[in-house]
Amino acid sequence: MEWQPDEQGLQQVLQLLKDSQSPDTATQRAVQEKLEQLNQFPDFNNYLIFVLTSLKSEDEPTRSLSGLILKNNVKAHYQNFPPAVADFIKRECLNNIGDPSPLIRATIGILITTIASKGELQTWPELLPQLCNLLNSEDYNTCEGSFGALQKICEDSSELLDSDALNRPLNIMIPKFLQFFKHCSPKIRSHAIACVNQFIIGRAQALMDNIDTFIESLFALAGDEDCEVRKNVCRALVMLLEVRIDRLIPHMHSIIQYMLQRTQDADENVALEACEFWLTLAEQPICKEALSGHLVQLIPILVNGMKYSEIDIILLKGDVEEEDDNVPDSEQDIKPRFHKSRTVTLQHEGGEGEEGEDIDEDEDDDDDTLSDWNLRKCSAAALDVLANVFRDDLLPHLLPLLKGLLFHPDWVTKESGILVLGAIAEGCMQGMVQYLPELIPHLIQCLCDKKALVRSIACWTLSRYAHWVVSQPPDAHLKPLMTELLKRILDGNKRVQEAACSAFATLEEEACTELVPYLSFILDTLVFAFGKYQHKNLLILYDAIGTLADSVGHHLNQPEYIQKLMPPLIQKWNELKDEDKDLFPLLECLSSVATALQSGFLPYCEPVYQRCVTLVQKTLAQAMMYSQQPDQYEAPDKDFMIVALDLLSGLAEGLGGHVDQLVARSNIMTLLFQCMQDTMPEVRQSSFALLGDLTKACFPHVKPCIAEFMPILGTNLNPEFISVCNNATWAIGEICMQMGVEMQPYVALVLPHLVEIINRPNTPKTLLENTAITIGRLGYVCPQEVAPMLQQFIRPWCTSLRNIRDNEEKDSAFRGICVMIGVNPGGVVQDFIFFCDAVASWVNPKDDLRDMFYKILHGFKDQVGEENWQQFSEQFPPILKERLSACYDLCCVHVKDLDGSCCLSSHGGLTARHFQWKSLGC
């Protein structure tokens, strides 16, 4: 007997649906309560499907709403539906997929795919065959409704459809979809392509078997009059470029011609899909060859796409010249911020410390407010990547256009020219250098343009050339640029403030200590901005101040600067509550400031330290409560704890020994013990950074915990979590230097892991360097325990540290290696050339370390004898010969090198047969 609704119950449900469309908050609350009550009745969901599919007398929005409430119930409680209710819903969906109303068809499609995603594809075996069968219906509505449902299922369950779990239905579905590419209805054609498109990236076998038919069918639709069809054709070609370029190469000329047309399509959504083609092609090895002959057409199209559209200008109020910096920000305008945990890195020759390679930096965006991906952004990104492929070969096609754009009287055109100039900065820098002395002053002038959008894009483009600006004499461009950027930081337009602040942070990173003479002026501006900025830009201002502190370091530690900077920062610090996420950027900023100010931060350190400890304690307590009673407590936001740990690291690094009293009066070591075992990698990462900094600053407080800490550190030497592993490795190295010979009990716990990591292929450079330093330090304090393994790590050890700057860490590591060679000289024999190369990387070692190197090098030469030494030193690259001769009086035979390269041979050693080394006593 088929289920029938009770009239009274039906009226109750209809009233609920009407009430739920009311904007009144109290009514909405009552609706929610009523929904929860009704969900206790098993057949409530029958009423909902009945209203959706059968109550044709009701208006469409009410019927659709009934279906959407049912969809939410399926999502939340489907496993509790009685079988009779579930079967009734599924039957009704399939019987009504051809409803005359497009809205109702779409709602039923959403409901079907929601049920399917609850694991029902396996237990609803008739669904896919029936939907595929309904595609053959003469009735347009039934065909379109079925295709709509299939498209949603393909989107949500593409992997499952290509698996044995369902007996590979794609073998039937893909050929079926391809037949509909020729259907007379554009909506059906569009559905058919969209369905097949879901399986391109996953390389579904059924599609790969029909790939040529698919591509031919796409080509047949190239000139389709429907924009949705053209969009899906473009999307398919872009994805095929990634996964089956081999099939496109024979047709590449025609495809490029087609995409050039479509990138100019009157429909912006089609143009955007087509524009993605250039971004994807730029990543393919054939890009240069395929595109060279088409640049003359492509570049003007991309440049043209970089103009703001009329709708953009309206949304951004581009033509309305009003100051808006007194208008408070709406909260939804403020993107959530995510803190990036601290990664310990080393200083390199010719540059600052490098970031851990596992972390991707976000690219600066030129117009963040339009956060949606659009044709302007896609065109700019495409030009950027193509500039990196073609380099200066792009300029002949671009420069004639650029001149006309940059000096154009129409502000929209001029603005696009400035964006073009910024987009090519990275790829075409060499070719642009000759024009920069003229262009940079023009861009600085554009910072004063009366249009805010011109001022803001000028900020971004100038930041892209900051490296060149800093390389010139300061008075030429740096000083005028800094002066104007600081004025823009105080602009009346919030968008310009944001762009100027971000650009200034980039300039700070490039200029570093070049900014020291202007610190007073800079701080006056940044502090004034504190009182002027609304919420969103205040968060960017913290970044600019933190970057300034990182860039000028201890030069900030002057009473006059501290007096300017600290009061507003501390005022903000006092205003914010512990649960306010604005603490993230402020804590990051204070961490940089504390590290830079060193003892200058002492007057402010106690309340800052205490609050960080409290934040860690609160988060741990909340995590504990959540793990015990997850239904009663919310999971904590652990970012609060991570940022607090990083600021404590900044305090320990900046204050050094002065942090001793603060640590003594707190339970930080107990908290650190818990944080080091947290399930979240970022928490452990920051914990190990703090452990290393506390080890350096106040080891007496750390030492009693070492027996408990070392096994945890050993467990975290897992390179799958690169940044965690990196910081744990660094902390072990710092502990070695404090523990000395007392490290002996822990060598076996950590050394095998370290040796495994340093020999692991594709390990990021930062981790290799920290691992090498720690192995060296471990060998320095426990040579008898580490030296026997010397042969297993000496070669990667030497190559990892050859590019590191002379510093204390490198010094202690090399002393360790020298001591280990003294204990086990045979361990270095096979790879002695690598040791020579690493020694030669020192610019100015301390005298006693130089003596150690001297003894080992000459000891080796004396032991092998003149003839063997001559044979051996023939392998040395010329630069290595010169360095060893100049620094260590080591005469290397000067035979004519076969090539002038400076790389080491892969077998740079003599065998132990040639050489039995006596202990050198160094």
Side-chain angles (χ1 to χ4, degrees), residues 72-138:
N72 290 337
N73 285 350
V74 167
K75 256 188 165 162
H77 318 292
Y78 188 71
Q79 66 281 7
N80 303 327
F81 283 19
V85 172
D87 288 344
F88 180 63
I89 292 168
K90 293 196 287 198
R91 217 168 31 252
E92 285 296 293
C93 282
L94 284 173
N95 289 341
N96 292 278
I97 194 75
D99 192 281
S101 156
L103 177 63
I104 301 303
R105 291 201 299 273
T107 309
I108 292 173
I110 289 169
L111 187 52
I112 287 174
T113 194
T114 308
I115 295 170
S117 69
K118 299 300 285 186
E120 284 295 296
L121 271 178
Q122 282 101 319
T123 53
W124 192 359
E126 68 273 24
L127 172 65
L128 293 173
Q130 215 163 327
L131 285 175
C132 284
N133 228 3
L134 290 169
L135 295 180
N136 300 327
S137 169
E138 294 291 314

Side-chain angles (χ1 to χ4, degrees), residues 414-583:
K414 176 161 98 174
E415 192 277 347
S416 72
I418 299 171
L419 173 58
V420 168
L421 193 55
I424 61 166
E426 193 185 325
C428 303
M429 180 61 84
Q430 260 185 312
M432 288 306 295
V433 163
Q434 58 183 308
Y435 306 106
L436 292 180
E438 185 187 339
L439 284 174
I440 296 297
H442 176 65
L443 287 172
I444 293 173
Q445 220 176 331
C446 292
L447 290 173
C448 309
D449 196 278
K450 63 179 194 296
K451 293 290 180 188
L453 291 175
V454 174
R455 299 198 296 277
S456 65
I457 199 63
C459 291
W460 178 76
T461 293
L462 280 160
S463 75
R464 302 268 288 174
Y465 290 96
H467 185 78
W468 181 84
V469 167
V470 169
S471 71
Q472 305 301 300
D475 287 348
H477 303 291
L478 177 61
K479 209 168 165 185
L481 172 57
M482 191 177 58
T483 308
E484 285 307 319
L485 265 185
L486 289 170
K487 286 182 194 166
R488 291 293 66 81
I489 284 175
L490 302 179
D491 198 278
N493 180 282
K494 289 193 285 192
R495 184 182 172 76
V496 179
Q497 293 172 358
E498 179 184 358
C501 244
S502 297
F504 196 72
T506 306
L507 187 64
E508 289 169 340
E509 287 174 340
E510 291 291 349
C512 295
T513 50
E514 296 272 343
L515 297 179
V516 171
Y518 317 107
L519 267 175
S520 184
F521 181 36
I522 294 168
L523 288 170
D524 285 340
T525 305
L526 297 180
V527 168
F528 189 80
F530 261 112
K532 185 178 173 72
Y533 276 14
Q534 297 297 336
H535 186 183
K536 181 184 175 189
N537 286 350
L538 203 52
L539 306 183
I540 297 163
L541 183 62
Y542 294 143
D543 280 347
I545 290 170
T547 307
L548 179 69
D550 292 337
S551 301
V552 300
H554 66 90
H555 296 285
L556 202 56
N557 188 7
Q558 298 292 335
E560 147 195 26
Y561 302 152
I562 295 170
Q563 203 39 52
K564 286 179 182 195
L565 182 59
M566 288 311 296
L569 282 176
I570 294 299
Q571 186 190 338
K572 292 287 176 196
W573 168 264
N574 291 330
E575 284 170 11
L576 293 176
K577 294 188 171 63
D578 279 354
E579 47 284 342
D580 193 327
K581 290 194 174 184
D582 284 5
L583 270 177

Side-chain angles (χ1 to χ4, degrees), residues 193-466:
I193 308 168
C195 284
V196 180
N197 282 358
Q198 297 305 321
F199 304 101
I200 299 175
I201 295 296
R203 297 168 182 264
Q205 192 54 50
L207 177 56
M208 294 301 117
D209 293 343
N210 290 278
I211 195 75
D212 292 329
T213 313
F214 176 45
I215 291 170
E216 282 165 27
S217 306
L218 286 173
F219 289 165
L221 291 172
D224 202 284
E225 77 281 356
D226 183 79
C227 56
E228 202 58 30
V229 172
R230 293 199 304 274
K231 186 179 92 174
N232 281 328
V233 169
C234 289
R235 184 173 293 171
L237 289 169
V238 170
M239 290 190 284
L240 286 168
L241 198 56
E242 274 187 60
V243 299
R244 289 308 303 261
I245 194 168
D246 58 315
R247 284 293 192 266
L248 298 188
I249 285 173
H251 315 284
M252 194 54 79
H253 179 78
S254 311
I255 293 171
I256 287 171
Q257 287 301 323
Y258 175 66
M259 286 300 189
L260 287 168
Q261 283 178 349
R262 290 287 71 85
T263 310
Q264 303 170 82
D265 200 284
D267 184 293
E268 188 175 330
N269 292 321
V270 178
L272 177 56
E273 284 297 339
C275 195
E276 295 275 358
F277 181 83
W278 315 115
L279 270 177
T280 308
L281 184 58
E283 291 167 8
Q284 305 302 322
I286 66 149
C287 175
K288 209 163 185 176
E289 184 191 341
L291 263 188
S292 289
H294 302 279
L295 289 180
V296 66
Q297 292 164 282
L298 174 60
I299 298 305
I301 293 171
L302 291 178
V303 167
N304 196 44
M306 288 163 74
K307 285 185 191 152
Y308 276 122
S309 67
E310 287 177 27
I311 192 81
D312 292 341
I313 293 167
I314 293 164
L315 289 172
L316 295 168
K317 299 182 176 165
D319 275 327
V320 186
E321 281 316 307
E322 58 175 32
E323 297 197 348
D324 63 356
D325 63 342
N326 292 321
V327 182
D329 295 324
S330 71
E331 287 309 300
Q332 62 261 38
D333 286 344
I334 298 164
K335 287 184 181 173
R337 285 183 58 93
F338 302 99
H339 172 68
K340 197 172 91 174
S341 306
R342 193 177 174 97
T343 306
V344 185
T345 56
L346 297 166
Q347 301 284 297
H348 287 75
E349 282 305 330
E352 291 305 313
E354 294 193 1
E355 275 302 339
E357 288 93 332
D358 59 315
I359 299 160
D360 284 325
E361 286 291 331
D362 285 337
E363 274 297 310
D364 292 298
D365 202 353
D366 61 286
D367 45 1
D368 238 8
T369 326
L370 281 182
S371 54
D372 293 336
W373 189 237
N374 57 22
L375 184 60
R376 167 186 164 88
K377 289 188 174 185
C378 191
S379 302
L383 189 62
D384 183 354
V385 292
L386 290 171
N388 277 292
V389 171
F390 286 94
R391 301 284 170 183
D392 296 345
D393 294 346
L394 211 63
L395 293 178
H397 306 286
L398 203 55
L399 290 175
L401 299 171
L402 204 48
K403 197 157 189 184
L405 296 172
L406 287 171
F407 299 93
H408 202 283
D410 168 45
W411 75 266
V412 177
T413 308
K414 176 161 98 174
E415 192 277 347
S416 72
I418 299 171
L419 173 58
V420 168
L421 193 55
I424 61 166
E426 193 185 325
C428 303
M429 180 61 84
Q430 260 185 312
M432 288 306 295
V433 163
Q434 58 183 308
Y435 306 106
L436 292 180
E438 185 187 339
L439 284 174
I440 296 297
H442 176 65
L443 287 172
I444 293 173
Q445 220 176 331
C446 292
L447 290 173
C448 309
D449 196 278
K450 63 179 194 296
K451 293 290 180 188
L453 291 175
V454 174
R455 299 198 296 277
S456 65
I457 199 63
C459 291
W460 178 76
T461 293
L462 280 160
S463 75
R464 302 268 288 174
Y465 290 96

Side-chain angles (χ1 to χ4, degrees), residues 717-733:
L717 295 176
N718 172 6
E720 278 184 47
F721 299 100
I722 287 169
S723 297
V724 179
C725 182
N726 180 70
N727 288 5
T729 303
W730 174 74
I732 292 166

Side-chain angles (χ1 to χ4, degrees), residues 761-791:
N762 304 322
T763 302
K765 195 161 60 185
T766 298
L767 178 54
L768 282 177
E769 290 161 357
N770 272 318
T771 305
I773 295 282
T774 296
I775 290 173
R777 290 176 151 191
L778 199 56
Y780 183 54
V781 295
C782 302
Q784 298 296 335
E785 288 72 19
V786 183
M789 294 186 77
L790 190 59
Q791 195 172 344

